[in-house]
Every structure is written in structure tokens, then in C-alpha cells.
């Protein structure tokens, strides 16, 4: 409980010190909602010509809902800001498991904040969604993709805390390339992830097996990557 309080106090300090960056976070989430909403509307109106492009975009960008803009996120490549942050925490000293709790709280807070904006606006922009899905069905759809995003956040956390700026950038490019390849493979096999997630959500609503699978995968990913990231932090040279 004490560690949770320490991690939360770190979050509150960040929020108070970087309020101006949240304007950009809101703009980014709203822009994504508008872009994706238009694409989803086109996909649902013409499912026979479903494009893998929006599968790729969802796979690429939904994990980004797990971040919010900050000076640190803008400077990670030029100043290796995440490594500097870890060195600062170690000097205080703040235990590594508190640092992990702090990062997990950031992930959940970002998905809550960005998810409400993104999926809330997309619901109103994509007209066929409102016409064909109940509120429960749409909630299942949102949780399905948020589950996927949280699952990927475990890997991002590991790379963020285990590598210097340029190496972290290269690792994220690999994750993005894998998302693109995954979307292409699904298309080659005759599938469409976006339409499939809609169909499952409409059919099952909050009992959707796909939703529960992604949420379970998200929980497993965070547990596994938290443990291996913690081991890495304990042995990492931050110089």
C-alpha cells in the first residue's frame, strides 16, 4: 500500500508539472478519433472491399493511447530522457518496484483518459456504429482494442526502461513493423480484424470471447513484462 501511494504521488507530481502537454494529448486523441471514425464508417458501409489499411492503423496506433504527451516523451531520442529519469529515481533513491508501479499507473491512466476521448468521439463520427451496435456492444469493442493496446504496453514499458533512447526508438520501429506485417497476413488469409471485432462485439456484447481473450492477454503481458523489466532495472547500468 505504501508503494502504491509513492507511485501515485509521482504521478500527481508529473500531472501538475506538465499540464500544458495535456492539451496536445487531447488534440491527438481527438484527431485519431476523427481519422479512425471516418475509416470505420467507410469499412462498415462497404465491407466487401474492406482494406487492411485500417487493420494496420489500429494495430499501430491503439497502443499509443497508453501514452500521454510530456516533455520526457518529446525528448527521449535527443536527450535520452527516460534513462535520465531512471537515474534520477535511483539517486533519490526510489525502489525499482515503485518505478514499475508508477509506469503501470501511467498506462492505465492514459488508456482511461485517451480511451474515453477516442472511443467516445469515434462513436459519434462513425454513424453505422451507432445504428448497428448497442452501447454494450460498443463498450465490448472498445475494451477489445484497449485490451490489445494494454497487452502491447508491456513490451513498450520493457524497451523504455531497458534501453537508451536510440535503441528504444529502433525497438519501437520493430513493433510497428510487426503490426503492419500482422495486418497483411490477416488480409492474405482473407480476414479483417476490424470487421471481425465489430461482428464479435455486436453478437456477444460484454460476453464477447474476443474481448475477454484480449483483456486476459493484457493482464498476462503486464505481469510478465513487469517482472522481466524489474529484473532488468536491478542490473542496468544507467551511465
Amino acid at each position: 500500500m505504501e508503494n502504491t501511494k509513492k507511485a501515485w504521488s509521482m504521478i500527481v507530481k508529473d500531472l501538475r508539472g506538465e499540464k500544458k502537454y495535456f492539451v496536445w494529448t487531447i488534440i491527438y486523441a481527438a484527431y485519431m478519433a476523427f481519422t479512425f471514425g471516418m475509416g470505420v464508417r467507410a469499412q462498415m458501409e462497404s465491407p466487401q472491399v474492406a482494406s487492411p489499411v485500417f487493420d494496420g492503423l489500429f494495430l499501430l496506433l491503439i497502443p499509443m493511447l497508453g501514452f500521454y504527451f510530456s516533455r520526457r516523451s518529446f525528448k527521449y531520442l535527443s536527450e535520452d530522457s527516460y534513462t535520465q529519469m531512471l537515474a534520477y529515481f535511483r539517486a533519490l533513491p526510489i525502489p525499482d518496484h515503485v518505478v514499475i508501479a508508477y509506469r503501470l499507473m501511467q498506462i492505465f491512466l492514459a488508456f482511461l483518459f485517451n480511451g474515453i476521448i477516442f472511443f467516445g468521439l469515434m462513436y459519434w463520427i462513425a454513424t453505422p456504429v451507432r445504428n448497428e451496435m448497442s452501447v454494450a456492444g460498443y463498450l465490448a469493442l472498445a475494451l477489445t482494442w484497449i485490451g490489445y493496446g494494454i497487452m502491447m504496453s508491456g513490451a513498450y514499458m520493457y524497451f523504455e526502461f531497458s534501453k537508451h533512447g536510440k535503441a528504444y526508438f529502433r525497438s519501437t520501429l520493430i513493433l510497428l513493423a510487426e503490426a503492419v506485417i500482422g495486418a497483411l497476413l490477416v488480409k492474405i488469409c482473407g480476414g479483417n480484424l476490424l470487421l471481425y471485432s465489430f461482428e464479435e462485439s455486436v453478437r456477444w456484447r460484454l460476453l464477447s470471447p474476443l474481448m475477454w481473450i484480449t483483456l486476459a492477454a493484457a493482464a498476462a503481458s503486464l505481469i510478465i513484462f513487469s517482472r522481466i523489466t524489474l529484473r532488468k532495472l536491478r542490473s542496468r547500468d544507467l551511465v
Side-chain angles (χ1 to χ4, degrees):
M1 192 63 168
E2 185 64 28
N3 292 332
T4 302
K5 290 181 179 179
K6 289 180 180 178
W8 180 247
S9 68
M10 293 162 65
I11 293 286
V12 172
K13 183 178 179 182
D14 282 350
L15 297 178
R16 288 175 177 172
E18 299 186 335
K19 294 178 182 178
K20 61 181 181 180
Y21 289 101
F22 282 95
V23 176
W24 292 107
T25 301
I26 294 171
I27 292 173
Y28 174 70
Y31 172 76
M32 285 180 60
F34 177 79
T35 304
F36 280 49
M38 296 297 289
V40 167
R41 184 168 67 184
Q43 292 278 73
M44 294 187 70
E45 289 175 347
S46 303
Q48 69 278 7
V49 291
S51 169
V53 172
F54 281 95
D55 273 3
L57 287 175
F58 266 72
L59 293 174
L60 283 170
L61 298 178
I62 289 297
M64 298 301 105
L65 296 178
F67 296 86
Y68 50 79
F69 287 111
S70 65
R71 183 185 182 281
R72 190 179 302 132
S73 63
F74 279 113
K75 298 289 186 178
Y76 83 90
L77 193 57
S78 61
E79 297 181 1
D80 198 7
S81 55
Y82 290 122
T83 301
Q84 291 183 22
M85 176 193 71
L86 293 174
Y88 173 72
F89 287 161
R90 185 173 292 180
L92 283 177
I94 295 175
D96 291 333
H97 54 272
V98 174
V99 175
I100 296 295
Y102 158 75
R103 187 65 187 94
L104 292 176
M105 285 183 181
Q106 283 185 322
I107 291 171
F108 287 117
L109 185 63
F111 270 110
L112 176 63
F113 182 76
N114 290 327
I116 290 173
I117 295 174
F118 175 79
F119 287 103
L121 288 177
M122 193 174 76
Y123 182 75
W124 293 105
I125 294 169
T127 306
V129 172
R130 298 200 308 274
N131 295 336
E132 298 182 21
M133 299 186 75
S134 64
V135 173
Y138 188 71
L139 180 59
L141 176 72
L143 290 175
T144 297
W145 283 100
I146 287 175
Y148 160 75
I150 293 176
M151 178 184 70
M152 296 301 297
S153 293
Y156 279 102
M157 177 179 66
Y158 173 75
F159 291 136
E160 184 180 302
F161 283 174
S162 65
K163 298 180 181 295
H164 291 283
K166 292 182 179 179
Y168 171 55
F169 177 69
R170 290 193 295 269
S171 298
T172 58
L173 288 181
I174 292 172
L175 290 178
L176 296 178
E178 289 176 349
V180 172
I181 293 171
L184 290 175
L185 289 176
V186 170
K187 178 60 177 179
I188 291 172
C189 294
N192 185 280
L193 290 175
L194 183 57
L195 292 181
Y196 177 67
S197 64
F198 269 96
E199 291 168 359
E200 289 294 291
S201 299
V202 169
R203 180 181 180 185
W204 295 99
R205 301 182 193 180
L206 293 177
L207 295 178
S208 167
L210 182 61
M211 180 193 75
W212 289 108
I213 288 171
T214 59
L215 291 176
S221 173
L222 290 185
I223 292 171
I224 293 170
F225 278 106
S226 292
R227 290 177 178 176
I228 63 177
T229 304
L230 182 59
R231 288 200 296 267
K232 182 66 177 180
L233 279 176
R234 288 170 174 170
S235 61
R236 185 184 173 190
D237 184 1
L238 298 176
V239 178

